[in-house]
Amino acid sequence: KIQEGKEGGDLKYATIEAKAKQDDIFGLDHAGYNLKEYIKKVLQEKNLQVTDLGTNSLESVHYPQFGSKLCESVQKDNSFGILCCGSGTGISIVANKYKGIRCSICNDLYVGLEGIKNDSPNVIAFGERVIGKGAVKQMIEAFLNTEIVEDEEFKARQKKIEEIENANLLN
């Protein structure tokens, strides 16, 4: 959870979308550029520091390199990230190849909010071509402010995910 005001977290950007917590990161490809700029503005209005790791234009780029930058940073800093691309799918596939990354696609308000509440993602992904700014803003609010209830059922699910990860991912 990011603290607003003077004690706000540091948000880093990458070329797709990154998530937010204490140290946050942003990533996107060219198809998510305009949405990234909007999200960056929303976060800055909350007095959060934003470092942009991502692409900085509409010129065509390959999203895997930007998704990778974001995920490596999230892993290193135990932070959160927000990723953006055209649909949110490609960038989320890249993110979920990284050990310890739990990326949720948030292109639908109900699915996005339920995922944030129940699955505790450390990265969220949006598709600029499929979601409106109002829904994105609501999901970012949820991502920043939702308290995860870590009951026994939640812990059991997380443990099973970690077991699958440890058996199938190298890093």
Side-chain angles (χ1 to χ4, degrees), residues 2-64:
I2 294 183
Q3 300 298 314
E4 296 182 18
K6 294 179 185 174
E7 298 176 0
D10 175 31
L11 183 69
K12 301 170 190 168
Y13 261 82
T15 305
I16 300 167
E17 294 180 16
K19 183 184 173 186
K21 189 173 182 181
Q22 288 182 350
D23 288 323
D24 303 322
I25 305 165
F26 239 110
L28 67 136
D29 70 0
H30 62 283
Y33 176 76
N34 292 316
L35 185 57
K36 174 199 75 165
E37 290 300 309
Y38 170 75
I39 294 169
K40 191 158 77 168
K41 180 181 164 195
V42 167
L43 294 169
Q44 288 171 334
E45 288 172 356
K46 295 184 166 299
N47 296 319
L48 298 173
Q49 287 288 121
V50 176
T51 303
D52 191 340
L53 303 176
T55 194
N56 294 309
S57 75
L58 295 171
E59 184 177 330
S60 183
V61 296
H62 297 283
Y63 63 79

Side-chain angles (χ1 to χ4, degrees), residues 74-97:
V74 168
Q75 283 178 321
K76 179 181 162 221
D77 300 332
N78 192 29
S79 59
F80 297 92
I82 299 170
L83 295 171
C84 300
C85 67
S87 70
T89 302
I91 200 76
S92 68
I93 290 171
V94 170
N96 284 315
K97 298 292 183 189

Side-chain angles (χ1 to χ4, degrees), residues 110-158:
Y110 175 78
V111 173
L113 293 175
E114 286 297 305
I116 291 166
K117 184 173 81 176
N118 295 313
D119 300 317
S120 184
N122 54 359
V123 175
I124 55 174
F126 297 110
E128 179 174 320
R129 295 175 180 154
V130 296
I131 190 165
K133 291 179 179 176
V136 167
K137 188 172 184 178
Q138 284 183 289
M139 285 186 267
I140 288 172
E141 290 290 334
F143 190 59
L144 297 175
N145 298 310
T146 298
E147 296 288 331
I148 305 302
V149 178
E150 295 189 12
D151 59 12
E152 292 306 312
E153 185 178 340
F154 175 86
K155 290 177 184 175
R157 285 193 312 263
Q158 292 300 310

